[in-house]
Amino acid sequence: MRAGARSRWSFGPHVSEKTGAFNAYIRSQTIGVSLQDSEGPRKKSPEELAAEQKATSEISGPLTEFLNKKVTRREAISTVGKIAVGVVVVAAAGAGAAYYLTRPTGPTVAEVVIGCPFPLSGGSSGLGQDSQAMAQIFQDQWNANGGFKGLGGAPLRLIFIDNETDPNVGRTVADTLVNTDKVSAVQNGFLSGLALTESEETEKAGVPMVTGSSSNPSLTTRGFTHFYRLWIGDDKLALKQFQYLKDELLKNNPGTTVKNIAILNDDTLFGTGAGKFYAASNNDPTYGGYNIVSNITFHGPATDVTSQVLQLKSAQPDVLFTAMSFVADAVLFQKAFKQYNLDFATMFSSAGHLNPPYQQLGSDAYFPISRLPWSPDLLVTKPWEQKWQGLFKAKTGKDMYSYPCDTYSCLNTICDAVNRAKSNDPAKINTALQSTNLGPDDVMEGYDGVQFSSTGDNTKAKTLFVQLLSDNVWHTVGPSPVAAYKAVFPQPTWADRAAGKIPSPVKV
Amino acid sequence: MSFSVEHVTKRYGGVTAVDDVSFQIGKGEFVGLIGPNGSGKTTLLDGLGGYIRKDAGRVALGGHDLSKAPPYELAKRGVGRTFQVPRVFDNMTVVENLYCVPAARSSEPKEKRVEDTMEMVRLASVAHEIAKNLSGGQKKLLELARVVMLNPTIVLMDEPFSGVDPAMLESLLGLMREMNKEGRTFLIVEHNIAVITKNCGRVICLDEGKVIADGSPGDIRNDPRVIEAYLGT
Amino acid sequence: MAIEPTALIQSILAGVFVGAIYSLVSAGLTLIWGTMRIVNFAHGALMMLGMYMAYWTWYFLGLDPLLSALVIFPTFFALGYAIDKFLLRRIIQASSVAQLLITFGLTLFIQNVVLYFWRSDIRLVTTSYSSLYWHAGGLVFDAPHVIAFFAAILCGIGLHLFLTRSSIGLAIRATAQDREAAQTVGIETKRIFGMTFGLGTALAAVAGAIITSYYPVNPDSGNQFLFLAFVVVVLGSLGNYLGALVGGLIIGVVQSTTGYVYLAQAELPLAFVVFLAILIFMPEGLFGKRLRR
Ligand SMILES: Nc1ncnc2c1ncn2[C@@H]1O[C@H](COP(=O)(O)OP(=O)(O)OP(=O)(O)O)[C@@H](O)[C@H]1O
Ligand SMILES: [Mg+2]
């Protein structure tokens, strides 16, 4: 069965589409009726489909021709066959008629199908499930606003599929999306490892993929012509952090000196990559030049991190650069830092720390600095995002955060290209993507908009520096033109925290 | 409590290892089961003990049909069993080997039964030794002690004396006689004809899966079919 | 980097603390393997379920994970017994592939049910002693680790007493050593399998419960422990619970000290090298010849 191929080892309906009925449910998450959906969950054999197309075109002629342009008239089929398929055809024609009546202009495309592989299970499933929620909201809103204007109001239909946070599974599901589901484009949220394998399949099939904050630099150095990224590569991001440290944090706080730094990363693709870029950035003549006193790669998710923390304790770095994929590790480390009294002037962090459950640590979690495409302060500078925040909260019970915003912006970028291409043909959409020119209000992030270079990198991307301040919110503390709050630097020592000396957020 | 075996048959492919065997053993009898190699003695014992599925036949103890009972059920009904190669629980101590026997058939506290049994089998000196360190004879004693713990009505033993030195043989036999005196029935498979004729009141002889003789040791020794089966023609 | 004696001692102790947890998880796994000859891939998932039960009883009733462990033990014993009765009993004679598939399937089922109801977000338990530290001779101990360690040691001692003193415990060991002989002395091995699976499951769940005071709970939490438990089970001689109890401590300390004195990224590979070395040079494991047959 099909569901087996989509999500090989998952049983829960939440995560996979176990039954045909559920499959159909997911697939029909769209306003408007498509021919495929009205036929119910059973997958028809090619022969059946061909017979039906023939019958359709013979019996209901022009009415169904708009539903499927590829209809061909060939030799007549037997009367018996005609009667047999007649019932189905009448139903389809009825649905088609209803559809026709609700659409004032005759669309040339019934719907636009976009593939959404998400990590719905496995290590990053929380992020995947939240991103899926945002994608569903986007789909509902898009269709409620009249669908694709460039295609006479054709609706958007998203296909969700679980890549299990596993790059190998990602390859398989991407193959299913492009070759079986024949999607027009694929959005890929935020995980580099998954973007890497999934994009190989989409590239082969000539289907464009837009990824959000998958930040592995190699993604856009492969010479792919159907791959686009909204955010910045880790190599450039690492250097930007060193730049921020020198140009802002140290410059604004002359009482603090930083000589020694340490790098701590896990052994995932993201972790090892980011660790290398930190080390490389330290060689930068302008922003680098510190002593790297410890450079640790650990196996994540870990059962215990004492030995790594003790190594760091012996090394005594002034600033710690971390790259952890898993929030469980971020929690374990932070607890151990507290236990063993490890004080830094600041700690740069990313993925794992940004996952909201990290904040369950309460005041112990405060003050790491991270780089992000989005922060809640944008809800103030871009008030239109508040509506989405409300929808997201209603659906998930959570506040919006960076990863679901990635999904929004990826989908909006794709949909803009579809409108301009006036087609659901992947090749035409790809051409349209190359001439994308979106403004700051077309994306949720703090970018100036979207415009792609020849490598597929977004030349209008920008990073925000955010810090988890003592109101337990990641606030924008840099770069200075967009900073909403003052960075807490150096961060209070554990002794100070125990004594209640925790600085309050200060607006700039 | 008589033990009755009726028409028990077991085939392995073309070989009929046990062929329509029937006999009755009365309470307190001490019966030897002999026969040349491959005559079906072990197979018969396994069939009686519930280890292998019989192709036909009925086994009953004191009127209770035990034909389909699994080994643990037989044990609870008072059928004890020892093996050709003793199967003690190697990684457990001698005492533990006795303690693990469920106390289904006795009202006495287990501690006392274990103590009495240790006394009876004279293994007290090695009570806390790991069973795998025992000598072969001691293992046979321990296996029998486990059977004692069951408070058995009948004991089925497969070659209890093979590989046992003469001194140990005496204590093993002594223990068996003691149990026999308490009214417990014995069915012993044995190669050593001398031991059988000296100790058993009755001998059953198997050949090619069939009972070819059943009687007193004297009768068996002189039975031409037995002689033929053992010496061949 | 200089190796500091206090830090080394601290990391050895950290290894002992986490090792005691490996011991409990592994003891359950090895009992199930030794007695039933089933490689229980669902062990990690059952441990994770134990963590969730501890989390929810803390969340809704404010019960300390150590106290809820007292409830979790019988609950998961019953769950394990039921899993054996309704699922495993049918496949106990089946091929090892069938057994593997069923325990693996059970894992996926449990994980997806948990994902469905509680999503994959990590959850933290906060107790009154979450931020309680003791300082002694330059060493720092946090109450959650120390308490969980002693709880694990108590469980280990309890397990040992149960398996050496109680009739059922002895029957479990007898069944593990010789199924047929066990039946011969009247042990109903079918029931013993249920008890064993129940006991193994309860041990995993309790191990999970007692670490929730410091370890984040999420649907993947059990997997990290399961992998190491397999290493421990082989190290401690398959099926030997004492070997598993000691082996858990050894792996914990090896992992932690290599993480400190050598390279952090070496700790898992090194545990793996130890594992392979033992398979090659001591195929029977560190603790004797359990697997004769
Ligand atoms: N599992 C088996 N499969 C096939 N044939 C078997 C099996 N077990 C026993 N046999 C055959 O059944 C016959 C009886 O064997 P059994 O072991 O019962 O003889 P025995 O009288 O105990 O011999 P011994 O004196 O050597 O112990 C032999 O021909 C043997 O080859
Ligand atoms: Mg024999």
Side-chain angles (χ1 to χ4, degrees):
Chain A
M1 195 184 98
R2 183 119 182 252
R6 322 198 111 217
S7 182
R8 293 172 311 164
W9 295 110
S10 303
F11 291 164
H14 192 85
V15 201
S16 73
E17 299 138 57
K18 194 188 175 213
T19 62
F22 193 80
N23 199 340
Y25 165 73
I26 285 277
R27 290 167 154 276
S28 62
Q29 292 285 306
T30 167
I31 294 172
V33 182
S34 74
L35 183 61
Q36 206 178 341
D37 282 338
S38 67
E39 288 166 0
R42 194 175 69 91
K43 183 89 179 136
K44 291 190 187 319
S45 69
E47 296 85 336
E48 279 175 272
L49 280 175
E52 219 174 273
Q53 280 177 2
K54 267 183 260 169
T56 303
S57 58
E58 275 165 30
I59 295 170
S60 50
L63 181 61
T64 45
E65 275 195 23
F66 82 79
L67 281 172
N68 196 329
K69 272 285 178 194
K70 288 178 206 143
V71 166
T72 50
R73 276 169 199 273
R74 269 180 280 164
E75 75 286 351
I77 55 168
S78 77
T79 321
V80 179
K82 245 183 227 173
I83 294 166
V85 295
V87 179
V88 178
V89 168
V90 168
Y99 182 21
Y100 189 69
L101 291 173
T102 58
R103 293 279 170 267
T105 47
T108 50
V109 173
E111 60 178 1
V112 176
V113 184
I114 295 176
C116 296
F118 281 124
L120 300 175
S121 61
S124 295
S125 50
L127 305 177
Q129 287 161 18
D130 289 341
S131 300
Q132 183 190 31
M134 178 57 97
Q136 275 163 341
I137 296 168
F138 182 91
Q139 176 182 265
D140 294 346
Q141 292 293 316
W142 183 265
N143 290 333
N145 283 336
F148 288 92
K149 303 268 157 50
L151 285 169
L156 166 67
R157 181 160 69 89
L158 300 178
I159 295 183
F160 299 116
I161 192 160
D162 182 14
N163 58 29
E164 302 173 32
T165 325
D166 178 342
N168 291 317
V169 179
R171 192 189 298 280
T172 313
V173 301
D175 173 66
T176 308
L177 285 174
V178 295
N179 292 319
T180 309
D181 294 312
K182 306 274 185 217
V183 299
S184 298
V186 175
Q187 87 81 38
N188 173 292
F190 46 84
L191 291 175
S192 293
L194 291 161
L196 207 62
T197 55
E198 288 169 9
S199 60
E200 281 171 20
E201 297 303 315
T202 52
E203 182 75 13
K204 247 191 283 176
V207 174
M209 170 182 276
V210 178
T211 189
S213 56
S214 303
S215 52
N216 193 292
S218 66
L219 283 171
T220 51
T221 59
R222 297 174 295 175
F224 281 14
T225 51
H226 295 73
F227 185 81
Y228 303 90
R229 170 164 65 194
L230 299 183
W231 169 237
I232 308 168
D234 283 325
D235 47 351
K236 299 200 179 69
L237 283 172
L239 187 60
K240 279 180 192 288
Q241 288 170 81
F242 278 77
Q243 183 181 0
Y244 177 65
L245 176 63
K246 184 168 184 193
D247 284 355
E248 299 206 20
L249 294 178
L250 290 171
K251 193 169 280 172
N252 298 341
N253 300 278
T256 307
T257 51
V258 172
K259 277 209 199 85
N260 299 331
I261 62 168
I263 299 169
L264 173 66
N265 56 266
D266 67 28
D267 58 355
T268 61
L269 181 70
F270 163 75
T272 50
K276 257 188 297 178
F277 300 127
Y278 283 137
S281 301
N282 194 45
N283 294 331
D284 186 86
T286 317
Y287 302 116
Y290 305 102
N291 297 324
I292 298 179
V293 290
S294 189
N295 191 342
I296 300 174
T297 302
F298 67 94
H299 177 75
T303 52
D304 188 65
V305 298
T306 308
S307 52
Q308 289 82 357
V309 172
L310 292 170
Q311 265 192 44
L312 286 173
K313 174 115 180 141
S314 306
Q316 300 209 317
D318 302 314
V319 170
L320 179 64
F321 290 86
T322 71
M324 300 180 197
S325 306
F326 304 103
V327 57
D329 290 335
V331 165
L332 286 179
F333 270 104
Q334 193 70 1
K335 283 187 171 195
F337 289 156
K338 180 182 180 188
Q339 175 177 352
Y340 296 109
N341 254 316
L342 253 71
D343 291 315
F344 318 109
T346 196
M347 175 171 83
F348 283 96
S349 62
S350 45
H353 290 86
L354 292 167
N355 199 339
Y358 168 73
Q359 289 163 249
Q360 288 176 57
L361 278 175
S363 61
D364 289 345
Y366 297 161
F367 305 121
I369 290 179
S370 191
R371 73 287 188 291
L372 265 187
W374 186 88
S375 94
D377 294 323
L378 285 169
L379 291 169
V380 180
T381 43
K382 294 186 183 181
W384 63 269
E385 290 187 10
Q386 284 167 16
K387 172 184 146 195
W388 294 83
Q389 153 85 2
L391 291 168
F392 185 77
K393 184 130 194 173
K395 198 163 183 99
T396 64
K398 294 181 185 175
D399 287 324
M400 213 158 67
Y401 59 99
S402 185
Y403 297 123
C405 294
D406 280 343
T407 295
Y408 170 92
S409 300
C410 286
L411 286 172
N412 204 36
T413 303
I414 294 172
C415 290
D416 163 70
V418 172
N419 264 339
R420 286 183 290 107
K422 296 193 174 22
S423 164
N424 63 353
D425 175 31
K428 289 184 182 151
I429 296 171
N430 194 51
T431 311
L433 276 168
Q434 286 164 1
S435 55
T436 296
N437 191 359
L438 293 173
D441 282 336
D442 294 316
V443 290
M444 286 203 173
E445 294 85 347
Y447 308 152
D448 294 334
V450 182
Q451 192 162 30
F452 293 115
S453 71
S454 58
T455 58
D457 274 310
N458 179 10
T459 55
K460 289 185 174 178
K462 268 166 79 175
T463 185
L464 304 176
F465 289 99
V466 292
Q467 186 171 32
L468 185 61
L469 297 180
S470 55
D471 56 354
N472 216 0
V473 175
W474 289 94
H475 284 297
T476 312
V477 293
S480 46
V482 293
Y485 285 80
K486 277 181 80 166
V488 174
F489 182 89
Q491 66 179 23
T493 61
W494 290 107
D496 284 346
R497 293 192 201 209
K501 288 185 218 154
I502 299 175
S504 304
V506 178
K507 283 198 172 150
V508 290
Chain B
M1 287 272 232
S2 80
F3 186 64
S4 77
V5 176
E6 296 163 21
H7 310 295
V8 168
T9 301
K10 176 71 195 175
R11 289 181 213 96
Y12 286 115
V15 182
T16 305
V18 175
D19 192 354
D20 193 25
V21 168
S22 299
F23 53 78
Q24 287 255 339
I25 302 178
K27 180 171 157 48
E29 273 196 273
F30 201 103
V31 181
L33 181 62
I34 60 169
N37 286 119
S39 56
K41 306 181 295 291
T42 299
T43 306
L44 176 60
L45 233 49
D46 281 347
L48 301 183
Y51 296 95
I52 54 174
R53 262 191 53 224
K54 297 170 276 292
D55 292 311
R58 197 181 110 97
V59 181
L61 180 62
H64 273 289
D65 186 358
L66 297 175
S67 310
K68 295 244 154 60
Y72 64 85
E73 179 78 40
L74 283 158
K76 285 179 180 160
R77 297 247 173 231
V79 181
R81 163 82 200 260
T82 67
F83 297 88
Q84 204 162 335
V85 179
R87 287 168 84 166
V88 297
F89 302 124
D90 268 349
N91 284 354
M92 287 157 60
T93 63
V94 169
V95 181
E96 285 175 342
N97 261 273
L98 300 190
Y99 261 108
C100 73
V101 179
R105 293 172 44 79
S106 172
S107 53
E108 279 181 58
K110 207 183 226 182
E111 285 73 19
K112 183 164 169 10
R113 292 189 40 74
V114 170
E115 217 169 274
D116 291 351
T117 308
M118 294 292 290
E119 192 74 15
M120 196 171 159
V121 299
R122 295 188 191 83
L123 282 174
S125 61
V126 288
H128 296 287
E129 192 62 57
I130 301 291
K132 72 173 154 218
N133 300 336
L134 299 182
S135 73
Q138 283 173 320
K139 283 185 186 172
K140 294 228 162 192
L141 267 180
L142 176 56
E143 208 183 19
L144 187 55
R146 251 175 14 194
V147 171
V148 171
M149 287 292 296
L150 280 177
N151 188 17
T153 306
I154 179 167
V155 186
L156 315 173
M157 301 179 86
D158 200 356
E159 307 208 13
F161 308 122
S162 72
V164 176
D165 65 59
M168 189 57 81
L169 191 140
E170 270 319 304
S171 41
L172 198 58
L173 256 176
L175 177 59
M176 287 160 68
R177 279 203 210 95
E178 207 174 315
M179 291 170 70
N180 188 230
K181 249 181 242 147
E182 291 167 357
R184 305 181 204 280
T185 312
F186 276 81
L187 177 62
I188 307 164
V189 167
E190 190 48 61
H191 270 304
N192 188 334
I193 304 276
V195 174
I196 287 287
T197 48
K198 197 169 137 211
N199 294 286
C200 297
R202 172 183 165 195
V203 178
I204 298 170
C205 183
L206 282 188
D207 187 30
E208 296 184 345
K210 289 194 183 66
V211 178
I212 55 165
D214 183 348
S216 72
D219 296 344
I220 293 294
R221 230 181 332 204
N222 299 320
D223 191 308
R225 277 175 304 173
V226 176
I227 295 167
E228 189 193 300
Y230 268 87
L231 300 176
T233 40
Chain C
M1 188 197 72
I3 291 165
E4 296 166 12
T6 45
L8 185 60
I9 293 169
Q10 186 91 60
S11 66
I12 290 171
L13 286 171
V16 171
F17 290 167
V18 71
I21 306 300
Y22 300 161
S23 296
L24 271 198
V25 180
S26 311
L29 194 63
T30 211
L31 268 180
I32 289 169
W33 160 254
T35 309
M36 307 171 73
R37 300 286 137 154
I38 284 180
V39 179
N40 182 22
F41 280 99
H43 208 62
L46 290 164
M47 175 188 185
M48 174 268 290
L49 265 192
M51 297 176 80
Y52 270 96
M53 180 157 168
Y55 175 81
W56 290 118
T57 48
W58 168 78
Y59 187 84
F60 286 116
L61 307 174
L63 213 57
D64 187 277
L66 285 174
L67 289 178
S68 58
L70 298 177
V71 187
I72 285 170
F73 190 91
T75 309
F76 278 78
F77 182 89
L79 175 68
Y81 194 90
I83 289 174
D84 175 66
K85 182 163 174 150
F86 297 111
L87 212 59
L88 302 180
R89 201 162 283 185
R90 292 152 213 280
I91 53 126
I92 197 95
Q93 305 288 0
S95 70
S96 38
V97 175
Q99 298 180 347
L100 190 148
L101 286 179
I102 208 145
T103 59
F104 196 57
L106 187 62
T107 308
L108 293 169
F109 175 76
I110 293 171
Q111 280 190 343
N112 282 296
V113 166
V114 168
L115 268 175
Y116 180 77
F117 285 110
W118 304 321
R119 304 168 61 97
S120 74
D121 299 335
I122 63 156
R123 296 167 192 276
L124 304 182
V125 170
T126 318
T127 58
S128 55
Y129 50 86
S130 278
S131 288
L132 181 60
Y133 302 101
W134 293 299
H135 297 262
L139 304 176
V140 196
F141 302 98
D142 66 319
H145 272 89
V146 172
I147 291 171
F149 169 73
F150 281 112
I153 294 293
L154 273 182
C155 288
I157 293 171
L159 176 68
H160 178 67
L161 291 179
F162 174 75
L163 290 173
T164 51
R165 301 289 159 87
S166 76
S167 301
I168 294 175
L170 288 167
I172 288 176
R173 286 168 63 206
T175 306
Q177 287 169 55
D178 190 333
R179 254 184 227 184
E180 264 193 5
Q183 292 213 17
T184 308
V185 299
I187 294 169
E188 197 178 336
T189 47
K190 254 194 301 185
R191 255 184 68 235
I192 293 299
F193 289 161
M195 302 256 186
T196 307
F197 204 81
L199 180 62
T201 302
L203 285 171
V206 162
I210 61 181
I211 62 171
T212 51
S213 58
Y214 62 83
Y215 197 79
V217 182
N218 78 76
D220 283 333
S221 296
N223 292 343
Q224 285 82 272
F225 289 88
L226 182 64
F227 169 73
L228 285 157
F230 279 125
V231 176
V232 171
V233 165
V234 173
L235 175 74
S237 309
L238 290 163
N240 180 339
Y241 75 96
L242 278 177
L245 290 177
V246 178
L249 295 174
I250 292 176
I251 286 293
V253 171
V254 166
Q255 189 192 16
S256 182
T257 49
T258 53
Y260 176 65
V261 302
Y262 183 42
L263 288 167
Q265 63 264 44
E267 64 179 33
L268 252 185
L270 211 86
F272 211 67
V273 167
V274 169
F275 175 69
L276 287 178
I278 283 165
L279 277 184
I280 293 164
F281 299 110
M282 286 180 275
E284 310 268 355
L286 283 183
F287 300 90
K289 298 179 176 276
R290 248 293 296 124
L291 269 177
R292 286 174 307 128
R293 295 193 301 144

